[in-house]
Amino acid sequence: MAVQQVRGVIAPGKDQPVEVRTVLVPDPGPGEAVVKVQACGVCHTDLHYKQGGISDDYPFLLGHEAAGVVESVGEGVTDVAPGDFVVLNWRAVCGQCRACLRGRPWYCFDTHNAQQRMTLEDGTELSPALGIGAFAEKTLVASGQCTKVDPAVAPEVAGLLGCGVMAGIGAAINTGNVGRGDSVAVIGCGGVGDAAVMGSRLAGAAKIIAVDIDQRKLDTAVKLGATHTVNSRETDPVEAIRELTGGFGADVVIEAVGRPETYKQAFYARDLAGTVVLVGVPTPEMRLDLPLLDVFGRGGSLKSSWYGDCLPSRDFPMLVDLHLQGRLDLGAFVTETIALDEVEQAFDRMHQGDVLRSVVVF
Ligand code: APR
Ligand code: ZN
Ligand code: ZN
């Protein structure tokens, strides 16, 4: 059993439709694990890979928000064992870089992936999305990309912690340090923003203001814990947020769109000495123009949130446990479950804003 054949979703080239192809998965080498994937969510980043927005290293093996069971591990792997139920993460911390050594492993500057490559039948090497590639029956990862969680959780729910949901919850609880009684505004209520709403609620925020240009998104945000909504297509969000916070602005404003204009809104919608968290991902050409005096004069902190500044080994099991206790409705993010050959249609639905998450279930 040196190499196994499985079915996987490939992005063959720029803007070409995805295809289900046979993928060869090598046995795990030192520090690696093969995971039998049980569920994998469809994320915007998968679409960006397909469209060529991330790199030109086609073909890609898509999928990265996944949960499954460890099938086999390579030499020297002690953190997980065959049979473990795990959530995959795309930042396996190294334990040795300057961030890790200073006790800040969530910033790890040298995260790693599997050394060996999965291939097509003709030997073409695949580039796994975010070093995971989990729209496949099995995938090869670094063992550090596997985090054990309580197997009582449904795989389609657990897998979502591997990316967007963790980014949003972490933007609130890790990066934003939202605390009891805080006022929070979340600009952009897609999957990431909604998770930030949920994280803010979990952290005890007193006021959670959801901002979006799409009324459907605001309705969902209310179901997940937003106490107020602002439709920024109709209303100036900075004024509206100030009005809802005694004229001052919110303690924490989370930007979950990734655009200069929404960042500016976040900047001016926070209270003096407040915090702005940028979790939306901008594109290379975007620029920001702000009076430096305002940056100084308004004080506080302007932060970016990488993957929710999460530490998978700390955060994934905790969030799964809270979910199982009924204190965090992670199931609300699963709009539909689909089969492996339905990813292309799921991209269309995502594009139209119809779903929070489609999740491939094996
Ligand atoms: N003002 C307010 N909301 C906006 C604006 C705007 N100008 N433009 C877009 N939005 C809203 C959309 O209506 C949508 O609800 O932002 C939301 C974006 O959500 P999704 O497209 O579902 O994206 P999501 O998966 O939540 O990711 C958001 O975080 O991880 C990054 O790359 C990701 O940059 C993206 C961001
Ligand atoms: Zn490190
Ligand atoms: Zn993702």
Side-chain angles (χ1 to χ4, degrees):
M1 192 184 87
V3 173
Q4 305 190 65
Q5 296 195 357
V6 302
R7 294 189 316 138
V9 175
I10 307 298
K14 193 170 164 59
D15 280 327
Q16 291 175 33
V18 299
E19 297 168 3
V20 177
R21 299 277 293 275
T22 298
V23 173
L24 304 187
V25 182
D27 275 356
E32 294 176 342
V34 168
V35 175
K36 199 166 184 298
V37 181
Q38 294 180 318
C40 182
V42 181
C43 175
H44 274 87
T45 304
D46 295 305
L47 183 58
H48 288 164
Y49 272 111
K50 175 186 131 158
Q51 294 169 333
I54 298 190
S55 83
D56 292 325
D57 300 330
Y58 294 100
F60 294 108
L61 174 60
L62 299 181
H64 60 274
E65 298 189 349
V69 174
V70 175
E71 182 186 70
S72 54
V73 298
E75 210 186 301
V77 173
T78 53
D79 41 357
V80 285
D84 284 349
F85 178 67
V86 296
V87 175
L88 300 183
N89 73 74
W90 42 268
R91 285 181 60 83
V93 302
C94 76
Q96 284 155 17
C97 72
R98 58 201 189 282
C100 285
L101 290 177
R102 296 184 73 192
R104 304 168 184 166
W106 49 90
Y107 291 140
C108 179
F109 301 140
D110 195 20
T111 60
H112 55 280
N113 303 122
Q115 299 275 321
Q116 301 182 85
R117 299 290 288 265
M118 293 178 276
T119 65
L120 294 175
E121 284 172 291
D122 65 3
T124 306
E125 290 193 342
L126 295 169
S127 307
L130 293 173
I132 292 183
F135 287 148
E137 292 156 326
K138 295 178 185 179
T139 188
L140 175 77
V141 292
S143 69
Q145 292 182 265
C146 302
T147 307
K148 268 172 80 164
V149 300
D150 189 333
V153 64
E156 61 269 30
V157 171
L160 298 187
L161 286 175
C163 186
V165 171
M166 184 69 246
I169 293 178
I173 68 176
N174 294 332
T175 318
N177 268 318
V178 172
R180 281 190 305 281
D182 280 352
S183 55
V184 180
V186 177
I187 301 182
C189 295
V192 174
D194 275 344
V197 166
M198 217 180 240
S200 301
R201 178 182 175 174
L202 184 67
K207 206 169 266 180
I208 305 171
I209 305 165
V211 181
D212 205 292
I213 49 176
D214 182 339
Q215 189 58 41
R216 292 173 304 170
K217 303 291 184 164
L218 294 173
D219 297 341
T220 311
V222 167
K223 289 189 192 124
L224 301 184
T227 58
H228 299 78
T229 61
V230 174
N231 186 328
S232 55
R233 198 183 280 291
E234 296 159 1
T235 315
D236 175 0
V238 176
E239 273 176 30
I241 292 167
R242 284 190 187 155
E243 223 164 84
L244 287 165
T245 51
F248 301 121
D251 297 310
V252 181
V253 186
I254 298 169
E255 203 277 15
V257 183
R259 300 192 55 82
E261 60 273 22
T262 38
Y263 188 86
K264 263 192 183 172
Q265 291 167 1
F267 181 82
Y268 285 110
R270 84 192 155 126
D271 198 356
L272 289 173
T275 302
V276 172
V277 175
L278 176 65
V279 65
V281 183
T283 54
E285 75 286 355
M286 292 177 176
R287 292 291 180 274
L288 187 66
D289 184 19
L290 280 174
L292 193 53
L293 184 60
D294 284 354
V295 175
F296 176 78
R298 303 183 63 83
S301 52
L302 308 175
K303 302 177 86 175
S304 306
S305 187
W306 296 342
Y307 200 179
D309 289 338
C310 78
L311 184 58
S313 58
R314 175 194 65 192
D315 295 340
F316 291 1
M318 169 189 71
L319 295 172
V320 164
D321 290 349
L322 291 175
H323 168 71
L324 290 172
Q325 292 165 13
R327 295 158 68 188
L328 185 68
D329 182 14
L330 295 175
F333 289 97
V334 183
T335 313
E336 58 173 7
T337 56
I338 61 171
L340 190 61
D341 56 10
E342 294 175 304
V343 169
E344 186 67 39
Q345 295 92 303
F347 281 146
D348 291 338
R349 284 193 291 276
M350 187 169 76
H351 201 68
Q352 277 140 31
D354 294 340
V355 294
L356 265 182
R357 273 296 185 268
S358 306
V359 183
V360 173
V361 173
F362 292 84

